[in-house]
Amino acid sequence: MADYTNLTLDVQDRIATLSVNRPDKLNALNEQTIRELSAAMDEIEQRDDIGGVILTGVGEKAFVAGADIAELSTMGPVDGIEVSRLGQRVFRRIELSKKPVIAAVNGFALGGGCELALACHLRIAGENAQFGLPEVKLGIIPGYGGTLRLPRIVGKGRALELMLTAQFIKADEAYRIGLVNKVVRKPQAAEGQEAPSPKDALITEARAMMQTILANGPIAVGLAIECTTRGMEMSVDDGLAMESNLFGLLAATTDMREGMQAFLDKRKAEFTGR
């Protein structure tokens, strides 16, 4: 296991909770944090005890409030290209992971933080979440893939509105336009009991969704991610050819036989990832 300065990694019941841990900076992404995210994804891919990832930020105020502006403010043109490409490589790694990644968004997800959430396969937002790509206010544009991923998720018009106005949107609006899959409401306390914190409720909901995903065939889950992600970047004909090839590949797996037989036997399938 790697040692992380700006991240925490906790694994329980095959679910890794990976948290950006710079609460004094609202979890802003500096170069070290992005490089640690890359190392963490390496570790997650290699560990057999991890089936999926919940990516979040420490504290209630921010998922990731953006890139570290103090660090970016000194860059020149060549530095800017290198900074952008580093973030793009790491976020692409997350996007192409065959292990599902859910962003559990608490508080601010702005700039690079919004781009990090966009790179995840699914997004669940707390009621206090706010999303935005306000880079044009700083005289720059999103550099970690936001200009590509946001229009693919919400459509070109809405994506350009968010980028060109630099306005933030709240969780309910993010859900309305399809940016997030679910909004978790502030929990109410049962009589005589203390209500869980909004962050705890968010993580509980993300874990429940991940457990539902992990009950399915892991090879099939991974290939569904790959087929969908890469298919959106292909022509329809090329995407259909890839889908057929992966469909055929799954027919060679033990998991496919087990899943089909379990259905016929009316029992729960016991997948092995083979």
Side-chain angles (χ1 to χ4, degrees), residues 12-140:
Q12 296 180 33
D13 301 323
R14 301 189 64 236
I15 300 173
T17 302
L18 180 62
S19 304
V20 180
N21 186 22
R22 300 184 75 209
D24 57 320
K25 303 291 186 182
L26 293 179
N27 300 324
L29 296 174
N30 59 3
E31 180 181 344
Q32 180 180 352
T33 306
I34 292 174
R35 292 191 183 279
E36 287 188 10
L37 280 169
S38 181
M41 290 307 298
D42 285 340
E43 178 179 344
I44 285 163
E45 290 294 334
Q46 293 165 9
R47 288 182 58 171
D48 292 336
D49 63 328
I50 295 175
V53 185
I54 295 169
L55 183 56
T56 193
V58 168
E60 300 278 354
K61 292 183 179 179
F63 171 73
V64 168
D68 193 316
I69 303 303
E71 194 174 83
L72 293 184
S73 65
T74 62
M75 67 183 179
V78 174
D79 301 324
I81 292 171
E82 291 176 352
V83 165
S84 175
R85 287 180 177 170
L86 172 63
Q88 287 174 355
R89 285 196 301 272
V90 176
F91 288 16
R92 182 66 166 166
R93 177 74 185 281
I94 294 169
E95 183 176 47
L96 293 177
S97 170
K98 287 189 172 65
K99 295 183 179 181
V101 182
I102 296 175
V105 180
N106 47 300
F108 294 114
L110 307 176
C114 184
E115 291 178 288
L116 179 58
L118 292 170
C120 297
H121 303 129
L122 300 171
R123 286 157 293 281
I124 298 179
E127 202 171 11
N128 70 330
Q130 293 191 57
F131 298 83
L133 291 175
E135 283 86 349
V136 294
K137 277 192 172 182
L138 302 173
I140 57 175

Side-chain angles (χ1 to χ4, degrees), residues 4 28 37 49 62 66-67 82 109 155 158 166 175 195 227 239 247 256:
Y4 304 110
L37 280 169
D49 63 328
E82 291 176 352
R158 287 193 174 104
Y175 176 76
C227 199
F247 188 86
M256 179 268 203

